Amino acid sequence: MNTSTTQSEEPGTAVKADEIEFTLIELLFFAYRDFTSDPDAILSQYGFGRAHHRVIHFVNRRPGLRVAELLDVLRITKQSLARVLKQLIDTGYIVQVQGPRDRRQRELYVTKKGHALALALALPQSRRIRAALEEAGVKDRAVIERFLRAMVNPELRAQVDRAPAREGARIEGEARE
Amino acid sequence: MNTSTTQSEEPGTAVKADEIEFTLIELLFFAYRDFTSDPDAILSQYGFGRAHHRVIHFVNRRPGLRVAELLDVLRITKQSLARVLKQLIDTGYIVQVQGPRDRRQRELYVTKKGHALALALALPQSRRIRAALEEAGVKDRAVIERFLRAMVNPELRAQVDRAPAREGARIEGEARE
DNA sequence: CAATTATGTCAACATGGCTGACATAATTAT
DNA sequence: ATAATTATGTCAGCCATGTTGACATAATTG
């Protein structure tokens, strides 16, 4: 543990407050707080919460995602996931398909309805990001992307990179199973 | 509500998936997920959670912050705050001082112990940010700051700007009251 | 003196995390 | 072939942290 210090006492030994990136720490907090507030308002109209948002987002973005992979991405337990996933399946936003190679696996897909919800939730977030890029006069958006990617634990960056190049497959409510 | 569409159907009317900033949306999710994981590990050793972290962070950064202001920043109810704030006061990380002008108000200060904890929690986050800036080759860190600030709701940006220029006052466990 | 304000507190409830235990079906290893 | 492992599901209960509503107190303001 770190025995911290202020300017006046035990100089040199420990963390000094002015060496800490407080500004960026707080900016991340505030930016994320408001970034998540947009979809929250929409979700409550559906009787869903933030947990549903995360699930439907990643299933939409990574069609055919398996349950174990989703757990890795969300960093929650299967029992936590089960609750919200069941609701999303029961209400027709997500469907499960038996894995073609390994029939124990369940591939997850959004339905048309689920796709529409995922887009509706992403839209205000997307608008906020665009407006911020413009307002901040970001000429090279790649800088932002590189910075945020570098904030992710190196061993978990494969998850970031696994996103589809284009919009992936989607299963209609009626199709397959 | 937004009737969303894919490439093939009802063109022009609605949101197209490839117009959405999915990459940055996900990067924000992943970056924030790992950004908060560092302090979480430390907090659990103290029997505290993320809610305690937020309180002790803002009280450390804005010495003399009043309860109502803290509620505005955290966007939670006073009943939610009361639980964690009481614990932090009872365990000697935060003290309350009666407002000098208005004696109904309670100014919040970290104790020496609270200051040390706030720094210990901020340290890994600060390291992560520095490493990310370097790894991403960010030459002008102001770009990142401007972007994140622009992500905050305009009417709430005063909260962002209210941070102290230097390290603010702190009250020792014994002093005042 | 009345109304308003800042704060605290009690009670009840919801969401979304967690652990532990156990069940099933399918795959893989011996 | 059978045993072990794996992917998933499910039951039950607990915890942290958010919510609403109601009410209390003290201090300030009109």
Side-chain angles (χ1 to χ4, degrees):
Chain A
M1 202 176 318
N2 224 307
T3 308
S4 310
T5 306
T6 16
Q7 303 85 306
S8 47
E9 36 188 89
E10 298 166 36
T13 350
V15 186
K16 280 172 242 104
D18 48 310
E19 285 172 5
I20 300 282
E21 298 283 352
F22 279 121
T23 300
L24 280 171
I25 288 174
E26 277 185 21
L27 279 170
L28 275 165
F29 169 79
F30 286 118
Y32 199 78
R33 179 195 66 179
D34 292 355
F35 171 69
T36 52
S37 70
D38 297 323
D40 281 356
I42 299 171
L43 286 159
S44 65
Q45 298 169 357
Y46 290 77
F48 292 151
R50 236 177 250 190
H52 301 86
H53 184 193
R54 293 193 280 257
V55 170
I56 202 151
H57 168 89
F58 282 109
V59 173
N60 178 58
R61 282 280 285 171
R62 291 157 174 75
L65 190 72
R66 285 161 307 196
V67 171
E69 295 172 319
L70 185 52
L71 292 176
D72 276 350
V73 166
L74 300 179
R75 315 244 87 193
I76 58 173
T77 59
K78 63 177 173 177
Q79 296 91 331
S80 284
L81 175 60
R83 254 184 318 229
V84 294
L85 183 55
K86 192 172 192 312
Q87 291 179 310
L88 288 168
I89 291 170
D90 290 349
T91 50
Y93 291 90
I94 286 179
V95 290
Q96 286 179 313
V97 178
Q98 212 170 43
R101 324 172 163 269
D102 188 332
R103 294 185 307 178
R104 288 170 304 181
Q105 298 176 341
R106 303 298 156 87
E107 295 185 344
L108 301 173
Y109 294 89
V110 288
T111 61
K112 186 173 177 176
K113 196 174 155 193
H115 180 73
L117 178 55
L119 278 192
L121 293 169
L123 187 62
Q125 298 192 308
S126 184
R127 284 204 230 273
R128 182 183 291 267
I129 287 169
R130 289 227 174 124
L133 288 172
E134 183 160 353
E135 187 186 328
V138 178
K139 44 205 180 244
D140 182 16
R141 65 144 59 207
V143 173
I144 309 289
E145 291 187 10
R146 284 202 311 273
F147 168 70
L148 290 174
R149 187 175 182 282
M151 288 285 289
V152 179
N153 284 0
E155 72 275 18
L156 299 175
R157 290 195 195 149
Q159 297 176 343
V160 180
D161 300 329
R162 237 207 80 181
R166 270 168 172 280
E167 179 71 359
R170 181 160 34 93
I171 289 197
E172 303 307 319
E174 308 79 27
R176 295 178 70 181
E177 177 149 328
Chain B
M1 203 174 319
N2 224 305
T3 309
S4 310
T5 307
T6 17
Q7 303 85 311
S8 47
E9 37 186 87
E10 297 167 36
T13 350
V15 186
K16 282 173 240 101
D18 48 310
E19 285 172 5
I20 301 281
E21 298 283 353
F22 279 121
T23 299
L24 280 171
I25 289 174
E26 278 186 18
L27 279 170
L28 276 164
F29 168 80
F30 285 118
Y32 200 79
R33 179 195 67 178
D34 292 356
F35 170 70
T36 51
S37 71
D38 297 324
D40 280 356
I42 299 171
L43 287 158
S44 66
Q45 299 170 357
Y46 291 76
F48 291 151
R50 238 178 247 189
H52 302 84
H53 184 192
R54 293 192 281 258
V55 171
I56 203 151
H57 168 90
F58 282 109
V59 173
N60 178 58
R61 282 279 286 173
R62 291 157 174 76
L65 190 72
R66 285 161 309 196
V67 171
E69 295 172 319
L70 186 51
L71 291 176
D72 275 351
V73 167
L74 300 180
R75 315 245 88 195
I76 59 174
T77 58
K78 65 177 172 178
Q79 296 90 332
S80 281
L81 174 61
R83 245 179 329 224
V84 294
L85 182 56
K86 192 173 192 310
Q87 292 177 320
L88 288 168
I89 290 169
D90 291 348
T91 50
Y93 291 90
I94 287 180
V95 290
Q96 286 180 313
V97 177
Q98 212 171 44
R101 327 175 159 268
D102 188 332
R103 292 186 309 178
R104 289 170 303 178
Q105 298 176 341
R106 305 297 157 87
E107 296 185 343
L108 301 172
Y109 294 90
V110 288
T111 61
K112 186 173 177 176
K113 194 174 155 192
H115 180 71
L117 179 55
L119 278 191
L121 293 169
L123 187 60
Q125 297 191 309
S126 184
R127 283 204 233 274
R128 182 184 290 268
I129 288 169
R130 290 228 173 122
L133 288 172
E134 185 161 353
E135 186 186 329
V138 178
K139 43 202 180 247
D140 182 15
R141 64 142 60 206
V143 173
I144 309 288
E145 291 186 9
R146 284 203 311 272
F147 168 71
L148 289 174
R149 187 175 183 282
M151 287 286 289
V152 179
N153 284 1
E155 72 274 17
L156 299 175
R157 288 191 198 154
Q159 297 177 343
V160 180
D161 301 329
R162 236 208 81 178
R166 273 168 170 278
E167 179 71 0
R170 179 159 36 92
I171 289 197
E172 303 307 319
E174 307 79 28
R176 295 179 73 178
E177 174 151 335

